[in-house]
Amino acid sequence: MLSIEARLLKCFHSVFPLLSPEELRSAAHDTVGNWDSQANITLFMVIQEEFGLTIDFEELETFESFARILDYLEKATAGAK
């Protein structure tokens, strides 16, 4: 089974296919030129599907970087282990 980080990388790659894995790991809303509101919603939906989560839409504004999303997912899935 893939780690949470590997699964999140897969999600990011589907939305930002031109970025390398290293660039994806350091990606943030203000550093990725094409991370606009549409990309943010797409990423949000892809993450929900990949992780089988229903994430409150209000959380979308906190999804501003790979690191913050990874932290969120690690906490959200901790009880599912």
Side-chain angles (χ1 to χ4, degrees), residues 26-65:
S26 64
H29 187 264
D30 59 347
T31 63
V32 177
N34 58 342
W35 190 339
D36 57 14
S37 59
Q38 185 173 355
N40 208 31
I41 291 170
T42 301
L43 182 59
F44 185 77
M45 301 303 287
V46 169
I47 290 169
Q48 286 189 115
E49 184 174 327
E50 172 65 27
F51 289 90
L53 297 172
T54 301
I55 303 168
D56 189 332
F57 195 71
E58 291 181 12
E59 294 289 338
L60 185 61
E61 67 185 43
T62 67
F63 280 29
E64 61 189 28
S65 70

